[in-house]
């Protein structure tokens, strides 16, 4: 059988004895050629032309002869293709082209693999069924043994039930006795509960009283904390700058050619500065070596203890007027005041750097790399006033350091006794 359709290649020239026959593919309905091998011997002899017939056929009757011998195939839409192929007696009953034949063979191979797989699954299932039957036969014997064991267990459980019944009766008797005792305990409990209510009422009263005291203590602690945080020295010694002259508590410390400040005001300012330095030394626990500050308002002074035991009072107040050579005792008192201040700033508890550097040996205060002397001798009023202003600014910074010191027990005792700690 030649399976290539007529559209793909031209049919071979027919032999002089037998011309090729055509038929339609039973699947795709394409024209295919049939050779003698496709027919049985009996049909092939019937279809083969005789020599005399070949010579007598006219040339125009070739197509008519071919159509007479073509194989007519009935429709197969409603039949199983594989059944038709298997039941056919030869390829002439189920003609197919090469493409359809290959496709049919592929499908048959897939179907064959599926059947082999299905056969394997059935074989496994059959083996499992046979094994299950053997297990069931073994389980029947074990079930009988288990039944005997259950009967024995039942007898043991019945004996245990009888023992439990006896225990239940004994427990019931004990429970009755305990109920009687419980009634006695309940009566005592009611009596104790009455006492408890009374005690609880007393406890609530005490807690209310305690809460009131706690509130009062919290208020007192908050007030104490505010007082501790308050910098009293800032309120007691207000340092400010009025124009070019420094002031302390409103008293100007310095004078200018165009601003003539009276000496009693300058003396009062020096007395306030002495009192402030004296308070800070006491608060910081600093002991002066050879000096003692005596704050006496506008007549304050500094006592200088010499090594030979002599005591010299260095005044911190002026006698009035501006002398050519200054006021020697006042100048020595200002230098001693500066030295006492330097001793405080160099102590261990004093941990900040003041804005204006002080030099006790020279008796000067530095501002912007310029030194201003605290002496009046050979000094201009402007420079002396600027030195006093820098000295007051250093005192204001020192107040912030003193305020950070914790309040000691001695301070609290002094406040409780209404004493001023100096």
């Amino acid at each position: 059988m030649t399976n290539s359709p007529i559209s793909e290649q031209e049919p071979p020239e027919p032999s002089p004895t037998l011309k090729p026959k055509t038929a339609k593919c039973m699947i795709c309905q394409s024209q295919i050629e049939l050779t003698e091998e496709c027919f049985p011997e009996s049909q092939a002899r019937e279809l083969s032309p005789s020599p005399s017939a070949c010579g007598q056929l006219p040339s125009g009757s070739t197509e008519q002869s071919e159509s007479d011998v073509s194989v007519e195939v009935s429709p197969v839409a409603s039949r199983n293709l594989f059944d038709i192929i298997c039941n056919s007696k030869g390829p002439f009953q189920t003609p197919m082209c090469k493409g359809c034949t290959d496709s049919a063979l592929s499908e048959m191979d897939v179907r064959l693999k599926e059947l082999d797989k299905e056969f394997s699954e059935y074989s496994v299932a059959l083996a499992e069924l046979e094994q299950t039957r053997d297990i069931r036969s073994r389980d029947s014997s074990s079930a009988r043994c288990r039944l005997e064991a259950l009967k024995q267990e039942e007898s043991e459980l019945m004996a245990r039930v009888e023992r439990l019944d006896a225990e239940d009766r004994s427990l019931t008797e004990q429970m009755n006795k305990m109920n009687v005792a419980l009634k006695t305990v309940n009566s005592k409990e009611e009596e104790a509960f009455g006492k408890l209510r009374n005690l609880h009422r007393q406890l609530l009263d005490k807690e209310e009283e305690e809460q009131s005291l706690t509130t009062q203590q919290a208020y007192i602690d908050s007030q104490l904390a505010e007082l501790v945080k308050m910098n009293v020295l800032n309120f007691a010694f207000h340092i400010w700058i009025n124009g070019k002259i420094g002031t302390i508590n409103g008293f100007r410390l310095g004078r200018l050619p165009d601003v003539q400040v009276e000496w009693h005001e300058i003396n009062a300012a020096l007395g306030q500065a002495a009192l402030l330095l004296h308070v800070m030394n006491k608060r910081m626990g600093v002991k002066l070596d050879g000096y003692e500050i005596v704050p006496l308002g506008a007549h304050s002074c500094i006592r200088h203890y010499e090594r030979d035991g002599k005591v010299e009072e260095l005044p911190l107040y002026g006698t009035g007027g501006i002398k050519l050579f200054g006021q020697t005792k006042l100048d020595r008192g200002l230098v001693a005041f500066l030295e006492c201040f330097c001793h405080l700033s160099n102590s261990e508890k004093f941990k900040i750097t003041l804005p204006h550097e002080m030099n006790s040996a020279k008796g000067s205060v530095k501002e912007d790399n310029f030194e201003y002397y605290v002496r009046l001798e050979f000094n201009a009023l402007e420079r002396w006033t600027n030195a006093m202003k820098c000295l007051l600014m250093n005192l204001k910074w020192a107040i912030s350091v003193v305020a950070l010191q914790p309040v000691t027990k001695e301070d609290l005792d002094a406040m409780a006794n209404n004493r001023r700690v100096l």
Side-chain angles (χ1 to χ4, degrees), residues 174-382:
Q174 294 179 7
M175 187 175 64
N176 293 331
K177 295 178 181 179
M178 293 179 68
N179 286 333
V180 174
L182 180 62
K183 291 180 181 179
T184 306
V185 172
N186 287 336
S187 62
K188 293 181 180 180
E189 182 181 1
E190 291 178 358
E191 183 181 356
F193 189 71
K195 295 180 180 180
L196 177 63
R197 285 197 301 268
N198 295 331
L199 293 175
H200 185 65
R201 188 180 300 109
Q202 296 177 9
L203 177 62
L204 292 177
D205 295 339
K206 294 296 182 182
E207 287 180 352
E208 185 178 357
E209 183 179 356
E210 182 183 1
Q211 186 176 4
S212 176
L213 293 175
T214 303
T215 305
Q216 295 178 14
Q217 183 180 0
Y219 176 75
I220 294 172
D221 291 341
S222 63
Q223 293 296 319
L224 178 61
E226 292 295 330
L227 292 174
V228 169
K229 292 179 182 178
M230 186 181 299
N231 192 347
V232 181
L233 295 178
N234 266 336
F235 292 97
F237 302 95
H238 180 66
I239 297 176
W240 200 246
I241 298 176
N242 185 4
K244 295 182 179 180
I245 303 176
T247 63
I248 177 169
N249 287 339
F251 298 110
R252 291 174 291 181
L253 181 56
R255 63 189 305 175
L256 297 172
D258 55 345
V259 181
Q260 296 295 322
V261 180
E262 298 296 333
W263 272 102
H264 68 269
E265 184 178 354
I266 296 174
N267 294 338
L270 288 173
Q272 292 293 316
L275 178 61
L276 174 59
L277 184 59
H278 179 69
V279 170
M280 289 192 297
N281 283 331
K282 290 289 186 180
R283 185 71 180 83
M284 298 289 287
V286 176
K287 294 182 180 180
L288 300 176
D289 186 14
Y291 291 99
E292 180 186 1
I293 300 175
V294 183
L296 295 174
H299 293 81
S300 301
C301 65
I302 296 178
R303 291 173 182 169
H304 177 51
Y305 297 93
E306 299 180 358
R307 293 183 179 180
D308 56 359
K310 294 182 180 181
V311 179
E312 183 182 6
E313 289 190 355
L314 305 176
L316 291 176
Y317 54 89
T319 57
I322 298 299
K323 299 179 181 180
L324 178 62
F325 297 102
Q327 302 183 39
T328 307
K329 289 189 176 182
L330 176 60
D331 290 343
R332 292 180 62 191
L334 291 174
V335 173
F337 181 86
L338 183 64
E339 186 174 354
C340 293
F341 194 8
C342 291
H343 190 72
L344 173 65
S345 63
N346 294 329
S347 62
E348 295 180 358
K349 296 181 180 180
F350 207 88
K351 297 180 180 180
I352 67 170
T353 302
L354 297 176
H356 304 289
E357 182 181 352
M358 298 181 297
N359 191 336
S360 60
K362 294 181 179 181
S364 62
V365 182
K366 184 179 291 187
E367 181 187 22
D368 298 332
N369 296 326
F370 290 99
E371 284 187 337
Y372 300 98
Y373 294 94
V374 297
R375 298 185 183 90
L376 284 168
E377 186 179 9
F378 303 112
N379 199 358
L381 286 177
E382 293 86 350

Side-chain angles (χ1 to χ4, degrees), residues 67-78:
S67 61
D68 292 340
V69 297
S70 61
V71 179
E72 296 295 337
V73 181
S74 60
V76 294
S78 61

Side-chain angles (χ1 to χ4, degrees), residues 147-160:
L147 180 61
E148 295 295 333
L150 290 174
K151 288 180 179 180
Q152 184 178 358
E153 185 178 357
E154 181 184 5
S155 61
E156 293 176 355
L157 291 174
M158 291 299 295
R160 185 178 179 183

